[in-house]
């Protein structure tokens, strides 16, 4: 409560007198416990109760500090009103309760301090459960003096109470009261926090005030904590929270596999093996498309014709004609065209491209309906049913080459002869990019591969390709790159990435040349050697780097500086444009940048192919119960509050305070932070 004085000790202006209608047989013994701070008061402000949706007020009662009085329960008038109380809060005056639960009257003495809170029970409190079951808070305390003269005066007290579970402002949390002893001049060094399995911590701040000066206590974790980047979504639309858990998805290699590639003597060879198709796999399923038909063979019978208009008769003998795509490179539709009225023998709404048919067939088609030819012609599609075993390796080199030559601004592009204006090789290569962004060009290369090999899209090799692409994001543009290759996004947002150690060479007709400005060649990668790097893990020991607490984690890359944010009291859901790699950017305000930690060793879950979207049940199934110990290098005597940031989910929390000698001085169990069923990523302030 605050320090405002009330002459009649009445916190609430009822506006009505309570008739002293004592109920026969309703005598009660009341146990009254002063509600105390955990730490012995240093200043009066520690008695304030601060309410907000993201604040938990934690207080204790001392079972040895109790006042027992006899009282009688009087008739409850059930007044209905919104009473107000002046509190330290975020929103001004707050409506606390709408009614009293009980009124008692007594003539016994009780020294009441209006600036303190009191817990009342009709039964002696012995356990924390008793507090929850029987606890009431004194709301009003009035005193009346009776007697005909000054010598025989008596005083009657009226006490109004509200159940502890009902005593709270709207949209705030209940006051948490536990059994304990005040810590007075105890030198503390450690705080141990127990949390549910699905809890992930972001940071822990501790603040104390002494002699009117507030200061942070530096608390460092004593446990090995494993980091995890999550991006909360669907907060406001549901009480249940979903998060994007990128680090455990199938978009990167598992750490063990990534290390195997990196630690090999020739990582380029290991990458090629992951992308290579065997001879058996190189046979494609027969799917007709403009990309995989090698040629068309057409057999037609002898055709008799009678052109009455021209009075011509005659016949064409049957023959066989083969037409390959190499002769029709400019025919975009080769070898098939869509036709709503005709079906070929394969049953699709497609027929041979007429532009690819022999001249005599085209001529005959002007006199005969095409259906006749469809019934009498034998059309055979001969497929290019093979894929080069190294086609994905070549694709990877192509996108690396394109990104590098673009970054070099196609240096040397120009004419081989100023008079004839004949373009050199670099200039011809640059022409391929005209009218496209670099990302569109890279995406086009990868899309063309998918169209040429539709039955390989779900192959293990192509899955490996996409993982390598993700982990090489700093070197390649396109939608398959984190942040679309902007700045250091991949280094900051991935748990680990591939550093490209190979250097491109200047290739002129297959030969390495030092004439890098001639424009006669292109920059090309002959090998793709990599080294695994991480800002968050010690890759030699497969352990995380040290968690940073009480301050934001600041990372510096090659071209940028990035700050991992601490969750705030109110977190809005992310509104990502999509879930493509290029959508995850450090510069995008819709990408939530929280690095959370757990004691569970999650190394084997990284890159394990789990769902990209996670919820509480997913975390429960894989994480262990957290018991987190934080130590201060300098012992301290008191705390005003702890600010605990992280992924808050319903469950059981506890606090344990340990002195400089390693002894537990106070342990508070079964802290159910009053979120109800709401799950959240935020900061919660625990006030003592």
């Amino acid at each position: 409560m605050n320090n405002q004085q009330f002459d009649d000790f009445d916190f609430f202006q009822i506006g009505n007198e309570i008739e002293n209608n004592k109920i026969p047989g309703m005598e009660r013994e009341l146990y009254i416990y002063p509600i105390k701070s955990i730490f012995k008061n240093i200043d009066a402000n520690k008695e304030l109760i601060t309410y907000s949706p993201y604040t938990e007020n934690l207080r204790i009662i001392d079972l040895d500090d109790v006042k027992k009085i006899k009282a009688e329960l009087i008739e409850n008038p059930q007044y209905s009103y919104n009473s107000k109380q002046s509190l330290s809060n975020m929103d001004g005056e707050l409506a606390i309760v709408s009614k009293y639960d009980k009124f008692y009257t007594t003539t016994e003495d009780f020294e009441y301090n209006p600036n303190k809170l009191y817990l009342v029970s009709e039964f002696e409190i012995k356990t924390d459960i008793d507090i929850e079951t029987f606890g009431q808070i004194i709301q009003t305390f009035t005193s009346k003096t009776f007697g005909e003269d000054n010598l025989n005066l008596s005083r009657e007290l009226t006490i109004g109470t509200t159940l502890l579970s009902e005593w709270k402002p709207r949209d705030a949390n209940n006051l948490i009261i536990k059994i304990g002893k005040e810590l007075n001049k105890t030198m503390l060094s450690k705080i141990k926090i127990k949390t549910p399995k699905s809890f992930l911590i972001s940071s822990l701040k501790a603040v104390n005030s002494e002699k009117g000066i507030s200061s942070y206590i530096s608390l460092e974790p004593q446990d090995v904590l494993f980091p995890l980047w999550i991006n909360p979504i669907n907060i406001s639309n549901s009480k249940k929270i979903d998060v994007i858990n990128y680090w455990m998805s199938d978009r990167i290699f598992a750490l063990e596999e990534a290390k195997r590639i990196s630690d090999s003597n020739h990582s380029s060879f290991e990458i090629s093996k992951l992308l290579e198709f065997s001879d058996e796999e190189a046979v494609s399923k027969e799917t007709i498309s403009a990309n995989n038909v090698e040629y068309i063979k057409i057999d037609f019978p002898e055709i008799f014709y009678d052109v009455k208009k021209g009075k011509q008769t005659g016949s064409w003998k049957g023959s066989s004609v083969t037409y390959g795509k190499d002769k029709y490179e400019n025919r975009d539709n080769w070898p098939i065209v869509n036709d709503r009225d005709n079906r070929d023998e394969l049953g699709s709404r497609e027929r041979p491209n007429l532009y690819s048919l022999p001249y005599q067939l085209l001529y005959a088609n002007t006199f005969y309906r095409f259906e006749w030819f469809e019934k009498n012609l034998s059309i055979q599609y001969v497929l290019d049913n093979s894929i080069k075993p190294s086609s994905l390796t070549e694709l990877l080199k192509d996108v690396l080459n394109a990104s590098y030559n673009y970054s070099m601004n196609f240096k040397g592009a120009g004419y081989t002869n100023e008079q004839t204006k004949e373009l050199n090789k670099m200039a011809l290569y640059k022409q391929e990019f005209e009218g496209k962004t670099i990302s569109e060009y890279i995406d086009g290369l990868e899309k063309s591969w998918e169209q040429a090999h539709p039955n390989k899209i779900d192959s293990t090799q192509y899955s490996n390709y996409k993982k390598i692409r993700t982990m090489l994001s700093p070197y390649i543009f396109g939608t398959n790159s984190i942040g679309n290759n902007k700045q250091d996004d991949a280094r900051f947002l991935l748990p680990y990435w591939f550093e490209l150690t190979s250097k491109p060479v200047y290739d002129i007709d297959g030969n390495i040349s030092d004439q890098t400005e001639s424009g006669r060649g292109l920059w090309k990668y002959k090998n793709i050697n990599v080294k695994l790097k991480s800002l968050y893990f010690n890759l030699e020991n497969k352990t995380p780097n040290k968690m940073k607490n009480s301050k934001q984690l600041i990372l510096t890359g090659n071209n940028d500086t990035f700050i991992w944010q601490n969750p705030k009291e109110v977190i809005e859901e992310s509104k990502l444009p999509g879930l493509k790699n290029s959508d995850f950017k450090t510069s995008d305000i819709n990408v939530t940048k929280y690095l959370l930690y757990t004691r569970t060793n999650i190394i084997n879950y990284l890159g394990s192919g789990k769902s990209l979207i996670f919820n509480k049940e997913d975390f429960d199934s894989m994480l262990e119960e957290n018991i987190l110990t934080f130590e201060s290098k300098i012992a301290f005597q008191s705390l005003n509050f702890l600010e605990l940031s992280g992924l808050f989910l319903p469950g059981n929390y506890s606090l344990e305070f340990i002195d400089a000698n390693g002894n537990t001085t106070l342990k508070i169990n079964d802290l159910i932070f009053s979120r109800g069923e709401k799950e959240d990523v935020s900061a919660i302030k625990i006030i003592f």
Side-chain angles (χ1 to χ4, degrees), residues 440-640:
E440 289 171 342
Y441 182 84
I442 298 292
D443 292 347
L445 292 177
E446 294 173 332
K447 187 66 175 177
S448 294
W449 189 94
E450 292 178 352
Q451 290 174 342
H453 311 291
N455 59 310
K456 301 299 184 188
I457 292 177
D458 296 324
S459 66
T460 301
Q461 291 87 339
Y462 196 52
S463 175
N464 291 337
Y465 172 84
K466 289 187 287 186
K467 293 175 183 179
I468 295 169
R469 277 284 284 106
T470 298
M471 296 179 66
L472 283 174
S473 290
Y475 307 96
I476 308 173
F477 293 91
T479 57
N480 283 325
S481 295
I482 294 290
N484 194 11
N485 180 247
K486 292 184 178 178
Q487 301 174 338
D488 291 297
D489 287 3
R491 295 180 174 94
F492 296 143
L493 296 181
L494 292 181
Y496 38 80
W497 77 93
F498 282 144
E499 180 183 72
L500 187 60
T501 58
S502 295
K503 303 297 182 184
V505 297
Y506 197 73
D507 181 282
I508 299 179
D509 298 328
N511 299 312
I512 299 175
S513 172
D514 58 0
Q515 300 178 19
T516 58
E517 298 184 9
S518 66
R520 295 171 52 210
L522 303 175
W523 288 101
K524 293 184 179 181
Y525 283 90
K526 299 297 184 181
N527 297 297
I528 307 175
N529 288 306
V530 298
K531 189 68 177 176
L532 193 63
K533 295 287 185 178
S534 175
L535 295 175
Y536 309 104
F537 294 94
N538 181 337
L539 298 173
E540 296 300 323
N541 302 320
K542 289 193 289 187
T543 57
N545 294 326
K546 192 69 175 177
M547 174 186 175
K548 303 297 182 183
N549 256 300
S550 301
K551 58 184 178 181
Q552 293 175 316
L553 180 59
I554 302 176
L555 302 172
T556 301
N558 293 341
N559 305 305
D560 198 12
T561 298
F562 175 66
I563 301 176
W564 283 108
Q565 303 166 352
N566 287 329
K568 302 175 183 177
E569 285 193 349
V570 180
I571 303 300
E572 295 182 356
E573 65 178 346
S574 299
K575 295 179 174 59
L576 295 172
L579 296 178
K580 300 188 297 291
N581 282 352
S582 57
D583 293 325
F584 296 106
K585 303 175 182 177
T586 59
S587 60
D588 192 337
I589 61 173
N590 289 313
V591 178
T592 309
K593 306 162 187 74
Y594 300 136
L595 195 66
L596 307 185
Y597 295 83
T598 177
R599 272 203 68 185
T600 303
N601 186 341
I602 62 170
I603 289 294
N604 291 333
Y605 292 110
L606 299 176
S608 61
K610 291 191 175 295
S611 171
L612 188 64
I613 308 299
F614 250 52
N615 54 38
K616 178 184 184 293
E617 286 70 29
D618 296 319
F619 284 121
D620 275 342
S621 67
M622 54 172 284
L623 298 182
E624 301 168 358
E625 187 176 70
N626 285 296
I627 300 178
L628 310 171
T629 302
F630 294 85
E631 183 174 14
S632 173
K633 294 181 180 179
I634 301 176
F636 56 94
Q637 284 187 332
S638 68
L639 287 177
N640 285 58

Side-chain angles (χ1 to χ4, degrees), residues 181-354:
K181 293 282 187 180
E182 278 189 306
L183 300 180
N184 183 19
K185 297 183 180 180
T186 302
M187 300 304 294
L188 301 175
S189 63
K190 295 181 182 179
I191 299 174
K192 187 177 290 186
I193 303 173
K194 176 185 171 184
T195 74
K197 291 195 301 181
S198 47
F199 173 80
L200 294 164
I201 187 172
S202 172
S203 66
L204 179 68
K205 293 181 181 179
V207 173
N208 73 335
S209 296
E210 193 167 353
K211 297 180 181 179
I213 301 175
S214 296
S215 60
Y216 281 103
I217 297 173
S218 178
L219 294 170
E220 296 296 332
Q222 298 304 293
D223 313 289
V224 175
L225 300 180
F226 293 84
L228 187 64
W229 167 44
I230 67 168
N231 197 99
I233 56 176
N234 299 333
I235 292 178
S236 59
N237 297 331
S238 170
K239 291 182 179 179
K240 303 297 181 182
I241 185 175
D242 290 329
V243 301
I244 296 174
N245 185 5
Y246 193 100
W247 287 13
M248 294 184 184
S249 71
D250 61 357
R251 299 197 182 182
I252 58 174
F253 283 116
L255 181 57
E256 194 68 29
E257 177 68 356
K259 278 183 59 62
R260 186 191 69 80
I261 298 169
S262 174
D263 293 344
S264 65
N265 293 328
H266 192 21
S267 54
S268 183
F269 175 70
E270 295 297 329
I271 287 176
S272 295
K273 283 202 305 183
L274 289 170
L275 302 180
E276 187 175 19
F277 292 97
S278 65
D279 292 338
E280 293 78 11
E281 292 173 315
V283 179
S284 299
K285 185 178 178 181
E286 292 194 356
T287 302
I288 298 175
S289 74
N291 293 296
N292 69 348
V293 175
E294 190 68 20
Y295 59 88
I296 297 176
K297 183 179 181 182
I298 304 173
D299 294 313
F300 54 91
E302 184 176 7
I303 300 174
F304 297 92
Y305 62 89
D306 180 4
V307 185
K308 295 180 180 180
K309 183 177 180 180
K311 296 181 179 181
Q312 296 178 5
T313 60
S315 67
W316 285 318
K317 292 184 179 181
S319 63
S320 177
V321 182
T322 299
Y323 282 83
K325 61 183 177 183
D326 56 324
K327 296 182 179 180
Y328 296 92
E329 293 180 353
N330 296 326
R331 302 296 185 188
D332 293 335
N333 295 348
W334 193 93
I336 52 180
V337 293
N338 293 325
D339 192 297
R340 293 181 299 176
D341 300 322
N342 300 304
R343 292 175 179 269
D344 66 13
E345 59 199 31
L346 298 178
S348 66
R349 287 188 178 274
E350 298 171 335
R351 59 182 172 81
N353 189 337
L354 292 181

Side-chain angles (χ1 to χ4, degrees), residues 29-248:
E29 272 195 337
L30 296 184
Y31 297 83
I32 303 176
Y33 303 85
I35 298 174
K36 303 179 179 183
S37 297
I38 289 178
F39 298 95
K40 190 75 174 177
N41 296 342
I42 296 176
D43 55 61
N45 289 332
K46 287 182 67 67
E47 292 301 320
L48 292 174
I49 301 296
T50 300
Y51 277 110
S52 81
Y54 296 91
T55 297
E56 299 285 354
N57 291 276
L58 179 57
R59 296 290 189 270
I60 60 172
I61 58 170
D62 186 342
L63 298 185
D64 296 328
D65 187 2
V66 58
K67 175 70 175 179
K68 186 168 66 174
I69 63 174
K70 293 184 181 295
E72 294 191 37
L73 182 66
I74 64 176
E75 189 175 34
N76 188 346
Q78 292 291 330
Y79 289 123
S80 179
Y81 59 88
N82 282 329
S83 56
K84 293 183 179 180
Q85 184 172 3
S86 178
L87 299 171
S88 170
N89 60 75
M90 302 180 70
D91 304 310
E93 284 192 323
L94 300 172
I96 294 190
V97 293
S98 59
K99 66 181 182 64
Y100 291 104
D101 290 294
K102 291 183 178 179
F103 285 95
Y104 303 93
T105 183
T106 183
T107 57
E108 295 192 20
D109 287 336
F110 171 55
E111 295 300 325
Y112 179 81
N113 185 339
N115 294 319
K116 291 184 178 295
L117 288 174
Y118 295 86
L119 183 78
V120 178
S121 173
E122 295 180 2
F123 304 91
E124 184 179 6
I125 298 296
K126 295 182 179 180
T127 66
D128 288 337
I129 295 177
D130 292 341
I131 296 175
E132 298 173 13
T133 306
F134 308 118
Q136 306 170 60
I137 298 291
I138 293 181
Q139 282 211 89
T140 60
F141 182 91
T142 58
S143 174
K144 290 184 179 180
T145 303
F146 300 93
E148 296 180 355
D149 53 55
N150 293 332
L151 298 177
N152 298 298
L153 296 178
S154 62
R155 190 172 70 147
E156 184 177 70
L157 308 178
T158 301
I159 300 171
T161 66
T162 295
L163 289 174
L164 175 62
S165 60
E166 298 292 331
W167 196 83
K168 68 170 185 175
R170 184 181 295 112
D171 298 326
N173 300 316
N174 294 87
L175 176 64
I176 300 175
I177 302 177
K178 298 291 182 179
I179 295 172
K181 293 282 187 180
E182 278 189 306
L183 300 180
N184 183 19
K185 297 183 180 180
T186 302
M187 300 304 294
L188 301 175
S189 63
K190 295 181 182 179
I191 299 174
K192 187 177 290 186
I193 303 173
K194 176 185 171 184
T195 74
K197 291 195 301 181
S198 47
F199 173 80
L200 294 164
I201 187 172
S202 172
S203 66
L204 179 68
K205 293 181 181 179
V207 173
N208 73 335
S209 296
E210 193 167 353
K211 297 180 181 179
I213 301 175
S214 296
S215 60
Y216 281 103
I217 297 173
S218 178
L219 294 170
E220 296 296 332
Q222 298 304 293
D223 313 289
V224 175
L225 300 180
F226 293 84
L228 187 64
W229 167 44
I230 67 168
N231 197 99
I233 56 176
N234 299 333
I235 292 178
S236 59
N237 297 331
S238 170
K239 291 182 179 179
K240 303 297 181 182
I241 185 175
D242 290 329
V243 301
I244 296 174
N245 185 5
Y246 193 100
W247 287 13
M248 294 184 184

Side-chain angles (χ1 to χ4, degrees), residues 405-455:
N405 281 284
Y406 173 84
S407 299
M408 294 292 289
N409 199 26
F410 304 102
K411 191 173 183 180
Y415 300 115
T416 58
N417 188 307
E418 289 292 338
Q419 293 181 344
T420 62
K421 302 299 183 183
E422 181 182 354
L423 298 177
N424 61 25
K425 190 166 186 177
M426 184 65 79
L428 290 171
Y429 183 60
K430 183 179 180 181
Q431 275 190 333
E432 297 180 16
F433 294 75
E434 290 183 359
K436 305 174 186 147
T437 65
I438 179 60
S439 296
E440 289 171 342
Y441 182 84
I442 298 292
D443 292 347
L445 292 177
E446 294 173 332
K447 187 66 175 177
S448 294
W449 189 94
E450 292 178 352
Q451 290 174 342
H453 311 291
N455 59 310

